[in-house]
Amino acid sequence: MQRRTFIAAALALFAAASGNALADGYRTEYRLSTVLGTAFPWGQAGERWAELVKEKTQGRINIKLYPGTSLVGGDQTREFTAIRQGVIDLAVGSTINWSPQVKELNLFALPFLMPDYKAIDALTQGEVGNELFAVIEKREVIPLAWGENGFREMSNSKHAVTTPADMKGLKFRVVGSPLFNETFSALGANPTQMSWADAQPALASGAVDGQENPLSVFVAAKLPTVGQKYLTLWHYVADPLIFVVNKDVWASWTPADREAVRQAALQAGRENIAAARKGIAGSDNAVLKQIETAGVTVSAISGEQRAAFVQATRPVYDKWAKSIGTDLVKKAETAITKR
Ligand code: X2X
């Protein structure tokens, strides 16, 4: 075969194999990954982003939601790598799940760094947020907007917890960053890392006694029905969400469409933060009321009790601050003090 004929044939074959490519290099469909589905503010954020993108690009960019981190078989700690590799085109992901690859994102999981919602905003909406976006972009993933999973509260099936001593011997399911293992170990508990998909059966069977997740997740996942009867409001960490696009996919779009996708992410992000805080933040405690009605014992911790948790986890904070970057952690602490 002549060289040119061979190249033409190879190109034709390639085009046939990538059957969902349109003439202008756009695909007929892009895959968006989230951990939680549309019963949760997180999944709704993905759905909303897709809807807004379709609207703003007059249907040129068509996004399909893949909840349950199904594109990586539910292993949420592999999501970031899959975005880089192009297995996932877009994602709304938690800082926790991407922190094994982007160590700076462990910032939000430093125990008791952020005392309130204003502190989260001071980080994500300020210089620290911009710096973290630059770090992600250096890893060849395009960050567009912040969202929110929420302050992660602790629950268990055994008894009320208001001091580190109450946690002694309790088995907790923790998420996939080693920082969580170390925090719960420092508090005297027995942590086990597992995915969210594995967490629910583990709670139901009693293989683990407790877990930590935002109240919106606690309610929508119906955790009281799997024995989670004791809830402690300790606000120890919060996980923001980040809206991102794979770099090659991003480059394949026109500047106007990129701007449309960015604006859609910013709008979906704002709506997501409002949804994640609804019934939880400020004077609106409807979600908490709903949880108490379900028969859950809710413990708020006093300043003194909080100090005991802070003290017990301080060595973990100091150790991880070094790995995250002392300058970045200092910047975050200053932004929070000034909020
Ligand atoms: O796995 C969890 O706990 C969840 C759903 O909150 C995250 O993906 C961080």
Side-chain angles (χ1 to χ4, degrees), residues 16 35 37 65 74 80 110 112 121 130 134 162 210 245 258-259 276 298 316:
V35 176
L65 185 65
F80 191 82
L110 283 178
F112 303 100
D121 296 340
N130 291 340
T162 53
V245 180
R258 279 182 224 158
E259 188 52 25
V298 179
V316 179

Side-chain angles (χ1 to χ4, degrees), residues 29 111 158 169 209 253:
E29 193 172 279
K158 299 290 189 203
D209 305 314
W253 292 334

Side-chain angles (χ1 to χ4, degrees), residues 34-236:
T34 59
V35 176
L36 300 176
T38 52
F40 303 79
W42 187 342
Q44 288 153 15
E47 192 174 50
R48 181 69 174 139
W49 190 19
E51 179 184 85
L52 287 167
V53 166
K54 191 168 196 170
E55 218 174 273
K56 289 179 192 289
T57 64
Q58 286 85 41
R60 280 188 299 281
I61 297 175
N62 181 29
I63 296 169
K64 185 174 174 198
L65 185 65
Y66 286 84
T69 345
S70 56
L71 296 167
V72 283
D75 185 352
Q76 61 218 54
T77 58
R78 284 175 40 218
E79 190 180 50
F80 191 82
T81 306
I83 300 162
R84 292 194 52 169
Q85 292 170 339
V87 174
I88 291 169
D89 300 315
L90 308 93
V92 180
S94 163
T95 49
I96 297 172
N97 297 329
W98 298 351
S99 61
Q101 291 81 34
V102 188
K103 67 178 187 338
E104 291 85 349
L105 292 179
N106 279 303
L107 176 71
F108 300 98
L110 283 178
F112 303 100
L113 168 67
M114 299 174 291
D116 52 29
Y117 286 101
K118 267 198 180 145
I120 304 178
D121 296 340
L123 301 188
T124 58
Q125 309 305 316
E127 199 187 329
V128 169
N130 291 340
E131 221 170 275
L132 289 169
F133 271 18
V135 168
I136 290 172
E137 198 150 353
K138 241 190 233 147
R139 302 292 169 80
E140 308 186 314
V141 169
I142 310 296
L144 299 177
W146 293 92
E148 188 161 296
N149 194 22
F151 272 112
R152 302 180 69 89
E153 316 294 6
M154 151 175 53
S155 72
N156 82 91
S157 60
K158 299 290 189 203
H159 53 248
V161 171
T162 53
T163 67
D166 295 331
M167 293 172 72
K168 197 168 171 55
L170 286 182
K171 282 182 249 150
F172 279 92
R173 173 269 172 170
V174 291
V175 276
S177 164
L179 169 46
F180 285 80
N181 247 336
E182 291 179 30
T183 299
F184 275 74
S185 296
L187 290 165
N190 295 336
T192 312
Q193 271 178 21
M194 62 183 83
S195 71
W196 173 244
D198 292 339
Q200 296 167 90
L203 289 164
S205 71
V208 293
D209 305 314
Q211 62 87 47
E212 47 77 60
N213 249 299
L215 296 186
S216 63
V217 178
F218 186 82
V219 169
K222 302 188 172 68
L223 294 188
T225 67
V226 289
Q228 295 297 291
K229 297 292 190 197
Y230 301 92
L231 179 66
T232 303
L233 306 178
W234 65 338
H235 277 40
Y236 84 125

